[in-house]
Amino acid sequence: MSAGSFALTRAAQVLTLHDPEGPRTAARRGAAMAELGILRDASVVVDAAGEIEWIGPHTELTALMDRGELSVERVHDCAGEVIMPALVDPHTHLVWAGDRRDELELRLGGADYEAIFAAGGGILSSVRQTRAASDEQLYAQSLRRIERMRACGATTFEIKSGYGLELEAELRQLRVARRLRDEAGVRVKTTCLAAHAFPETARRGPQARRRFVDEICEQILPAVASEGLADYADVFCDRGAFTKDEAARVLDTAHALGMGLRVHANEFGHTGGAELAAEFRAASADHLLHMNADERSALAEAGVVATLLPGTSLVLGKPFADGRALIDAGVAVAIASDCNPGSCALENLAMILGLACYGCKLAPAEAVVAATHNAAASLGLAAEVGRLEVGMSADLLVLATDDYRDLVYHAGSPLVREVYSRGHRIS
Ligand code: NIG
Ligand code: FE
């Protein structure tokens, strides 16, 4: 499976996401969110270093090869198929141990997600299972998830901690995420989400609560920064989680330590999360089920990417984020799996792209941009992945269909036939 140089030829559609104004790494907004730069009967050449060497109409490639101006070791015919950038998943919690299948049944029987959490289950159940697992168990369980997720088309992942909620366990989760980056054949950005929930010990009154925020700011984040374990910090600012003031302290500290910022915001209500993301010019504000016009304009003005997680709405039976209103307000939208043990253990980002259309009212082309270029931009990776341009990494998919809209039309069907990461076939 060595990269070698190879050509994927004669695809019915190649979604380049080429921007007519030149390669730009900012997340796209407005009408630009629907520009896929589609080439028909086109080919892509990947060099031995795993980068895109050439891309264009197949007739031009044949002419270049006939004149001996370009040669490849292998030619792989993709007639009647689609070539597109591999998916980028900018919001996962995929390093955890154990499962919450029992909780799933309780919820399907009518129990409420927030009530289970308030009673010490939910996230805290995963904290107990994750703390109890060995490093090897944690790694092996997470690797299996990543293998399934990449088979569904994602080759870049953001991975959050947040099932440790104490120094050592948070560090352990992030080290496992780093090991996945080094060994799983995918790109990984890591995020410290120590501010995910208040652990059992912090639920004994306001002082205990304050001490946990102190612990995050004075011990956990500095230790994570000094070991270089996280690219970002995140905070769950919502009803039943961190208040706006507590979240602001966490973001301030993380910013001072040189980390990028992301915020879980407005999933259950309006507690200031989206405003905070705008105030801190966070890279991303995520969930956003409950949004008003002022909050949308604040995100647009601050250039914060809105990351929508429609799988979570589906699983929890909640409303879908209004992606249409966000795009119309000029906000750059990304979509992600939110893959986690409780609110959404779905692993198929290609299917979630369909949910973004049916639930959040994105157009299929917008959903593609949201799950590729915009997701990459929110992770600072837009110069490497998320588009097909000469010089970018050959992270791409071959779809077993001649029209990319089938990803939505037949959402959930096994259309992702081949997955390449850095020019290596990984699925
Ligand atoms: O993004 N909203 C908070 N955190 C996760 C859920 C985590 C869990 O239930 O374990 C989310 O949905
Ligand atoms: Fe999440």
Side-chain angles (χ1 to χ4, degrees):
M1 297 247 276
S2 97
S5 65
F6 61 94
L8 301 172
T9 60
R10 303 198 308 148
Q13 298 178 332
V14 175
L15 315 187
T16 66
L17 274 68
H18 178 72
D19 186 329
E21 291 176 35
R24 286 184 295 180
T25 52
R28 290 190 187 166
R29 306 160 177 233
M33 269 203 68
E35 282 170 19
L36 295 182
I38 299 181
L39 304 175
R40 289 170 209 281
D41 193 20
S43 300
V44 178
V45 176
V46 176
D47 68 19
E51 289 183 355
I52 295 171
E53 182 178 352
W54 187 91
I55 185 163
H58 183 66
T59 46
E60 284 181 26
L61 179 63
T62 331
L64 283 169
M65 287 173 125
D66 285 350
R67 293 198 301 268
E69 290 168 20
L70 204 160
S71 66
V72 292
E73 287 167 40
R74 283 177 296 128
V75 173
H76 178 28
D77 188 11
C78 296
E81 297 177 327
V82 172
I83 298 174
M84 64 174 283
L87 304 178
V88 175
D89 195 337
H91 180 142
T92 84
H93 306 247
L94 70 81
V95 174
W96 79 80
D99 68 82
R100 289 182 8 225
R101 296 181 186 115
D102 294 346
E103 188 189 305
L104 165 70
E105 289 194 311
L106 289 176
R107 278 193 287 101
L108 290 173
D112 176 61
Y113 175 80
E114 286 178 78
I116 293 173
F117 174 50
I123 293 174
L124 294 185
S125 157
S126 292
V127 168
R128 288 188 286 275
Q129 298 181 73
T130 302
R131 285 181 184 172
S134 70
D135 289 2
E136 271 316 306
Q137 287 168 331
L138 200 50
Y139 178 76
Q141 292 182 24
S142 306
L143 179 62
R144 288 199 56 202
R145 277 170 215 131
I146 249 185
E147 284 169 351
R148 292 193 294 259
M149 292 170 87
R150 63 185 206 188
C152 297
T155 62
T156 300
F157 300 87
E158 184 259 14
I159 303 179
K160 302 174 195 296
S161 65
Y163 296 115
L165 308 186
E166 65 185 13
L167 179 61
E168 263 316 306
E170 284 291 311
L171 294 176
R172 233 152 57 82
Q173 256 196 292
L174 291 168
R175 288 188 197 117
V176 166
R178 286 289 199 225
R179 187 173 162 202
L180 289 166
R181 175 194 68 183
D182 298 337
E183 299 177 14
V186 293
R187 270 184 183 70
V188 170
K189 289 279 186 178
T190 53
T191 298
C192 179
L193 177 57
H196 193 192
F198 286 90
E200 220 91 68
T201 46
R203 293 179 171 212
R204 295 177 189 144
Q207 272 188 340
R209 189 175 167 103
R210 194 186 157 81
R211 270 201 302 276
F212 183 58
V213 181
D214 291 345
E215 187 183 332
I216 293 170
C217 295
E218 291 162 19
Q219 292 171 37
I220 301 180
L221 286 172
V224 165
S226 80
E227 239 190 269
L229 283 175
D231 305 295
Y232 295 92
D234 192 344
V235 55
F236 185 13
C237 177
D238 218 317
R239 188 169 79 196
F242 289 71
T243 64
K244 189 177 180 195
D245 287 349
E246 290 164 342
R249 253 192 90 196
V250 171
L251 295 178
D252 248 333
T253 307
H255 176 69
L257 290 166
M259 297 178 192
L261 306 177
R262 318 183 82 82
V263 184
H264 276 71
N266 299 45
E267 180 181 5
F268 301 127
H270 292 266
T271 67
E275 288 159 18
L276 201 63
E279 279 163 37
F280 278 86
R281 297 191 175 274
S284 172
D286 304 43
H287 284 291
L288 310 179
L289 271 49
H290 301 274
M291 291 288 281
N292 61 36
D294 288 346
E295 289 163 325
R296 283 190 285 268
S297 325
L299 293 184
E301 271 163 39
V304 178
V305 174
T307 301
L308 309 185
L309 311 165
T312 309
S313 294
L314 179 76
V315 172
L316 294 186
K318 301 272 180 199
F320 286 91
D322 190 343
R324 187 77 266 131
L326 283 159
I327 293 175
D328 292 347
V331 181
V333 168
I335 55 182
S337 68
D338 196 18
C339 183
N340 74 71
S343 67
C344 183
L346 303 182
E347 296 167 330
N348 185 342
L349 184 56
M351 183 192 75
I352 284 168
L353 196 141
L355 297 183
C357 296
Y358 296 122
C360 306
K361 308 300 175 202
L362 268 60
E366 292 170 335
V368 168
V369 171
T372 55
H373 174 73
N374 277 11
S378 91
L379 294 172
L381 290 172
E384 292 171 48
V385 293
R387 286 173 291 127
L388 302 182
E389 302 257 5
V390 170
M392 288 184 67
S393 182
D395 280 50
L396 51 86
L397 308 179
V398 179
L399 305 185
T401 171
D402 61 358
D403 191 319
Y404 78 90
R405 291 175 297 181
D406 279 349
L407 286 173
V408 178
Y409 195 46
H410 296 299
S413 294
L415 296 170
V416 175
R417 210 193 62 197
E418 295 171 26
V419 181
Y420 295 84
S421 172
R422 297 187 176 94
H424 291 267
R425 174 109 186 250
I426 59 168
S427 186

